[in-house]
Amino acid sequence: MQVSLRVCSLQDLEPGEGLRIESVTPPIAVFLTEEGTVHAVDDTCTHQDASLAAGWVEDCRVECPLHESTFSLLTGEVDQPPAKKKVRVHEVQIDGDDVYVELSQEAPNLPPGVTTA
Ligand code: FES
């Protein structure tokens, strides 16, 4: 069964930046783009243990703060190494000021050494 979780309010988000949400496992990152769209992906890069919420957002992609791979906020696809696997994308719903996320049912592509336990 899919469940929508309220993860934050729109006021918690800054345009062009990500917000790490630790109340879910693994943590997710919620982004408000400069264009005003809201997206959610797993926060942990698929290459190593880096927080994508601390990355740079441009053209609906987030660039990992540790290396130069970028991930689509729409599909999770990665553009170039060192990351090779896509990041999971979660469905976002906005209700008034509240941001809800429906977590993906796919298995997360966590990097080596990072577990959900
Ligand atoms: S940790 Fe993200 S690309 Fe290396």
Side-chain angles (χ1 to χ4, degrees):
M1 188 180 78
Q2 301 234 313
V3 181
S4 286
L5 302 168
R6 183 193 178 281
V7 291
C8 63
S9 79
L10 282 175
Q11 281 75 37
D12 296 327
L13 301 172
E14 295 284 338
E17 295 192 7
L19 178 68
R20 179 176 158 101
I21 306 290
E22 296 184 339
S23 56
V24 295
T25 304
I28 64 173
V30 178
F31 296 93
L32 173 61
T33 65
E34 298 281 359
E35 293 75 28
T37 58
V38 180
H39 306 274
V41 301
D42 279 346
D43 183 52
T44 308
C45 182
T46 62
H47 175 232
Q48 287 178 10
D49 191 5
S51 170
L52 294 178
W56 295 273
V57 178
E58 195 174 343
D59 294 336
C60 238
R61 300 190 72 86
V62 59
E63 182 178 313
C64 177
L66 209 54
H67 304 111
E68 292 185 354
S69 294
T70 75
F71 298 87
S72 167
L73 297 178
L74 298 174
T75 66
E77 293 298 335
V78 62
D79 65 337
Q80 61 176 359
K84 294 191 178 112
K85 294 181 180 170
K86 63 179 278 195
V87 73
R88 284 192 312 176
V89 174
H90 308 287
E91 192 173 315
V92 172
Q93 288 141 12
I94 310 291
D95 183 5
D97 281 341
D98 296 320
V99 179
Y100 290 85
V101 168
E102 195 168 290
L103 294 176
S104 167
Q105 299 295 297
E106 292 174 25
N109 286 323
L110 296 173
V114 176
T115 66
T116 56

